[in-house]
Amino acid sequence: MKRHEIRFAGRWRVPLPPDAVYARLADLEHYPGWWPAFRSVRRTGDRECEVVIRSALPYELKVRMRPLVEDPAARILSAALEGDIAGTVRWQVSNDGSRSCAASFHEHVTVEAAELRRWMPLARPFFHLNHALAMRTGHRGLLARLGADAESGAQGTGIPPNASDV
């Protein structure tokens, strides 16, 4: 791996049907309502948006996201990232039991922001810790949001337009 590259991976276990989890993950515009690290999401085009992310460390990442794969049948989402970080992010939601699932996350990015590149060699462990904290709060928020949806009888309706494009 190159000096300014970083990889993250994780897996969330969710005691709900995989289609509901996929729909919530596909609904990027509503992430700020349940995932505290997502400070804002603003649509900038038909299939692009600008995202501001901040977790525990005192910096914000500004990133443009463009979908690469939105496949509800396979429950795969991936996007290209450009901005303070550049690379790709991918979610895959799979059955993990009769009424539960696992959502696997993979991100491979290059740090582009000059102020973060400067600190990369020393701060890499802190970036991993910061990402782990952001993912933990996202998992908790997803569980709370999907639990509230299940109690109210709401369906995950956030699949964006062109969700079947591959």
Side-chain angles (χ1 to χ4, degrees), residues 30-149:
H30 290 99
Y31 276 28
W34 59 268
W35 196 334
F38 280 78
R39 301 305 171 102
S40 67
V41 176
R42 182 177 60 86
R43 191 159 293 279
T44 57
D46 287 340
R47 297 182 37 86
E48 292 184 359
C49 60
E50 182 179 89
V51 178
V52 177
I53 304 167
R54 180 175 177 182
S55 186
L57 294 178
Y59 66 86
E60 289 184 340
L61 294 175
K62 291 184 177 106
V63 181
R64 286 178 310 285
M65 295 182 76
R66 180 179 44 83
L68 298 172
V69 176
E70 296 172 317
D71 184 345
R75 297 186 206 97
I76 295 172
L77 297 163
S78 71
L81 310 174
E82 295 177 2
D84 291 339
I85 56 175
T88 59
V89 60
R90 181 178 195 269
W91 283 100
Q92 182 166 9
V93 181
S94 57
N95 284 319
D96 194 29
S98 62
R99 283 208 29 92
S100 65
C101 67
S104 299
F105 171 85
H106 298 276
E107 183 176 0
H108 180 199
V109 296
T110 300
V111 174
E112 299 290 343
E115 61 276 7
L116 296 179
R117 288 175 72 90
R118 209 175 11 259
W119 293 102
M120 192 70 181
L122 298 172
R124 185 179 296 273
F126 297 104
F127 292 158
H128 277 279
L129 177 61
N130 193 58
H131 189 269
L133 292 170
M135 293 301 288
R136 183 175 303 150
T137 64
H139 186 217
R140 288 180 184 152
L142 178 70
L143 291 171
R145 176 56 55 109
L146 288 171
D149 288 351

Side-chain angles (χ1 to χ4, degrees), residues 18-38:
D19 289 336
V21 174
Y22 173 87
R24 185 57 67 185
L25 290 173
D27 189 11
L28 184 65
E29 289 183 82
H30 290 99
Y31 276 28
W34 59 268
W35 196 334
F38 280 78

